[in-house]
Amino acid sequence: MNSIPSIWFIGMFSGLIWFCIGISDMQTPMVEVCENAKDDDGDGLIDLNDPDCDCPVIEPISLIPNPSFEKMNCCPSDRSQLYCADTWIQASEATTDYLHKCGWFGWPHLQPPLPIPDGEAVVGFRNGRFGNNNSEPGWKEYTGACLLSPLKAGTTYRFRFNIGFLDGIISPSTNVVFYGTTDCVNLPFGKGNSGFGCPTNGSGWQELGRAPVSGFNEWIIVNLTVTPTQDIVAIAIGPDCVNLSASGDIYYFFDNLILADQRTFDFEIAAVAHPCAEEFALQIPAYDSLQYQWYKDGIALVGENKPKLQVKTGEGNYQVRVLSDDQCKVTKPYAHRIPVSYNEINHVICKDDIYHFQERRLNKSGVYWDTLKTKLNCDSIIKLNLRVADDEYDTVSVKIFPGEFYQIGRTRYRQAGGYNAVLQSVFGCDSLIYLDLALYQVYVPNAFSPNDDGSNDHFTIFGGDDLVLIKNLQIFNRWGDMIFQQKAFAPNEPSNGWNGQSNGKPVQNGVYVYKVQLIMDDGKERQLVGSMTLLK
């Protein structure tokens, strides 16, 4: 067991004091006892789920001020307005963009993936400007900040942040680089030269760390471990120094930039072994001066008071309460989920043949299930669709949605029409099938005009008799906020659907995104996502 420095621990928990009061079973409970898995005060809440057991969550405090860009000096109205984000510095002459839901949220084709990792603001940056016969590969945009306190030489720090990607053309795989300087006067760099490129093209800057990253219409978390050789007082983050070539702008997003001493990240629960392995455990650092108590879904695991927990209680959200004298904190929840793999097998056999499915001998058409254990003791669920060739229909009539397919043997059919298909099993039997394939007909308007003139006043879904039910219709504005939802209503009714209002008030003209779940006559649920225009 290690001995944690008392000054560091007190600093980590400064100002946050919580007293745990034990109450004997012989007394009438007045407050919740926080480690016995009982509802002691009779309020229906147990242990950490009870406000009586409230403890602050252990989390790193970033040395970067305003790490999620939420504190504002102003609401951005256009691009290049990083000055609206409190304390942040436009590090390069090539300007980054400040996006906030209160105002400007990017160009229509360059808006961040939703949801945003933390809050309502992000920063967007380019790695070169391209197109229109005016390419500038040296146009590299960087965001910078003076730190709340310096990174000390020889001390190990972790830099954890979110980076957002659009599609593979706008946001290809890249290297994101973390730069540092020993003097805040070096911010900004490359003044007057928008093609200056990365900060190390000049003096006073050094590369602290880099990470290769990739994604597709998503946010990913990046972790960098850095040990500076000099005291660092200011930082910049953005692309590497390599000039690229492209047909259009290359663009990414930043959010939630947490830079802190590596040790402050140590009190995050870590997994030991694979989740399906018998030796699977959870642990946090062990210190002689601390007391530990494990919880699952907020309820104490009685007797589990060591830094390492051998998990025998199944899936759930696990936490540790850490006590030092009269100070108390809890870790962020660790979501323990046991992975399950699914595999579907489609197989055809000849009449009178046998198919061996695990320990069963099958000779009839049907759907069969079995569950196996992988090498790591995880469940692997297998679904077998078995067909006996003699049981095949001469004609198969099927409807599918655009984008779906119907498969016979190794061939997938996607277009409406009639097809002759021959199945030949591994046993050498043939079966001739005529496939009559049709497409479901569903019409989603691309515009509507809610002006109460009795025509096209609602946005709704239309289709043939094979469209049974609109299970759920959701409408989103350009910031990704859901402004309307209606469930379980009939299609083809002009008075059903969205009337162009939100919370009883008409919304502005513009483009809105819809997401609709449909139930077709085959009983299956389909989902459509698209956009339409509201015009009054």
Side-chain angles (χ1 to χ4, degrees):
M1 300 281 279
N2 299 316
S3 177
I4 187 171
S6 58
I7 293 177
W8 176 77
F9 190 85
I10 291 172
M12 179 177 168
F13 292 88
S14 60
L16 298 168
I17 300 176
W18 183 88
F19 294 91
C20 295
I21 304 174
I23 300 178
S24 169
D25 291 337
M26 299 297 293
Q27 297 174 317
T28 301
M30 299 299 293
V31 296
E32 183 77 5
V33 178
C34 303
E35 59 278 334
N36 65 356
K38 297 179 181 179
D39 179 15
D40 302 285
D41 54 5
D43 63 355
L45 303 173
I46 301 175
D47 295 342
L48 295 186
N49 300 311
D50 194 313
D52 292 341
C53 298
D54 184 46
C55 285
V57 175
I58 303 172
E59 55 185 349
I61 299 176
S62 184
L63 297 176
I64 300 175
N66 193 16
S68 291
F69 312 105
E70 294 303 305
K71 295 180 181 179
M72 296 184 298
N73 299 314
C74 55
C75 185
S77 59
D78 203 346
R79 62 184 180 88
S80 305
Q81 295 184 0
L82 183 62
Y83 57 81
C84 282
D86 186 43
T87 71
W88 281 96
I89 299 171
Q90 180 56 61
S92 54
E93 191 73 13
T95 54
T96 55
D97 303 314
Y98 182 51
L99 288 67
H100 198 292
K101 286 187 176 182
C102 68
W104 191 76
F105 203 58
W107 294 273
H109 69 296
L110 294 179
Q111 293 193 351
L114 299 174
I116 292 173
D118 188 30
E120 298 183 323
V122 300
V123 163
F125 69 98
R126 288 179 177 82
N127 187 2
R129 293 205 304 188
F130 305 97
N132 299 322
N133 299 317
N134 187 28
S135 294
E136 299 177 82
W139 182 284
K140 293 175 178 288
E141 300 178 352
Y142 297 87
T143 301
C146 291
L147 301 177
L148 296 172
S149 61
L151 303 183
K152 295 296 184 181
T155 300
T156 300
Y157 298 86
R158 183 185 297 182
F159 183 31
R160 183 173 68 194
F161 58 91
N162 294 85
I163 182 169
F165 295 82
L166 298 173
D167 61 44
I169 297 176
I170 297 175
S171 305
S173 299
T174 189
N175 288 312
V176 62
V177 184
F178 183 41
Y179 302 91
T181 182
T182 58
D183 198 326
C184 270
V185 299
N186 294 326
L187 273 176
F189 55 83
K191 296 180 182 178
N193 181 6
S194 60
F196 183 83
C198 74
T200 53
N201 285 338
S203 60
W205 286 89
Q206 57 185 281
E207 181 177 319
L208 298 177
R210 66 170 54 211
V213 293
S214 62
F216 188 87
N217 291 327
E218 62 182 330
W219 289 91
I220 67 169
I221 297 175
V222 180
N223 285 280
L224 288 174
T225 300
V226 299
T227 306
T229 58
Q230 296 175 284
D231 288 358
I232 300 297
V233 301
I235 56 94
I237 183 171
D240 61 16
C241 297
V242 178
N243 286 343
L244 306 178
S245 177
S247 58
D249 289 350
I250 298 177
Y251 202 81
Y252 308 88
F253 306 91
F254 281 138
D255 193 23
N256 199 24
L257 289 77
I258 306 299
L259 174 63
D261 190 306
Q262 172 68 38
R263 294 171 298 177
T264 65
F265 288 90
D266 289 343
F267 279 84
E268 295 180 347
I269 297 175
V272 178
H274 191 276
C276 296
E278 292 185 2
E279 62 271 22
F280 177 72
L282 301 173
Q283 68 178 14
I284 62 172
Y287 294 97
D288 291 332
S289 57
L290 301 182
Q291 300 177 43
Y292 303 87
Q293 175 61 56
W294 285 87
Y295 297 81
K296 177 189 174 186
D297 298 327
I299 299 175
L301 300 173
V302 178
E304 297 291 354
N305 49 22
K306 296 181 180 180
K308 184 175 182 179
L309 172 70
Q310 201 73 37
V311 179
K312 301 296 183 184
T313 46
E315 295 183 328
N317 295 320
Y318 287 82
Q319 289 176 276
V320 187
R321 187 189 64 190
V322 182
L323 294 178
S324 174
D325 298 329
D326 58 355
Q327 296 174 338
C328 167
K329 276 203 171 185
V330 294
T331 63
K332 289 183 177 180
Y334 178 96
H336 171 44
R337 302 292 183 265
I338 299 175
V340 177
S341 63
Y342 294 88
N343 186 28
E344 185 169 351
I345 301 173
N346 296 301
H347 197 79
V348 178
I349 62 174
C350 300
K351 184 180 179 181
D352 300 326
D353 283 343
I354 300 295
Y355 184 80
H356 296 270
F357 186 50
Q358 307 310 322
E359 297 181 355
R360 286 179 284 179
R361 294 164 54 86
L362 306 176
N363 60 2
K364 294 183 178 180
S365 297
V367 178
Y368 303 88
W369 299 84
D370 205 345
T371 302
L372 306 177
K373 290 291 184 181
T374 67
K375 292 181 179 180
L376 293 171
N377 203 38
C378 292
D379 284 343
S380 176
I381 299 175
I382 300 175
K383 176 185 178 183
L384 169 65
N385 299 308
L386 183 65
R387 297 180 186 177
V388 178
D390 188 58
D391 294 338
E392 294 286 347
Y393 294 98
D394 292 333
T395 300
V396 177
S397 297
V398 177
K399 286 185 178 180
I400 61 173
F401 246 54
E404 296 180 341
F405 62 84
Y406 186 80
Q407 184 167 343
I408 299 179
R410 295 183 179 181
T411 304
R412 294 178 175 181
Y413 299 89
R414 302 177 184 272
Q415 302 296 325
Y419 304 91
N420 289 315
V422 177
L423 289 178
Q424 185 177 42
S425 75
V426 295
F427 304 101
C429 56
D430 292 339
S431 177
L432 179 63
I433 297 175
Y434 179 76
L435 173 63
D436 180 16
L437 187 63
L439 296 178
Y440 283 119
Q441 300 298 315
V442 173
Y443 172 67
V444 182
N446 58 15
F448 78 114
S449 56
N451 53 12
D452 294 327
D453 64 352
S455 175
N456 204 24
D457 287 328
H458 287 74
F459 173 77
T460 192
I461 313 300
F462 300 89
D465 293 339
D466 45 23
L467 175 57
V468 176
L469 179 71
I470 311 299
K471 183 179 179 180
N472 192 17
L473 172 64
Q474 296 175 318
I475 306 295
F476 301 85
N477 63 20
R478 66 189 180 106
W479 299 293
D481 300 319
M482 186 174 70
I483 60 173
F484 175 82
Q485 179 172 245
Q486 185 176 357
K487 296 183 178 180
F489 62 96
N492 303 314
E493 292 291 340
S495 60
N496 284 341
W498 185 37
N499 64 356
Q501 297 184 9
S502 178
N503 294 324
K505 297 181 179 180
V507 302
Q508 296 179 350
N509 287 358
V511 177
Y512 294 84
V513 173
Y514 65 83
K515 182 186 292 185
V516 60
Q517 293 168 291
L518 311 173
I519 303 297
M520 308 306 296
D521 59 0
D522 62 357
K524 293 182 179 180
E525 178 181 313
R526 269 83 167 186
Q527 179 172 284
L528 297 177
V529 177
S531 62
M532 49 62 189
T533 302
L534 185 152
L535 297 171
K536 297 179 183 177

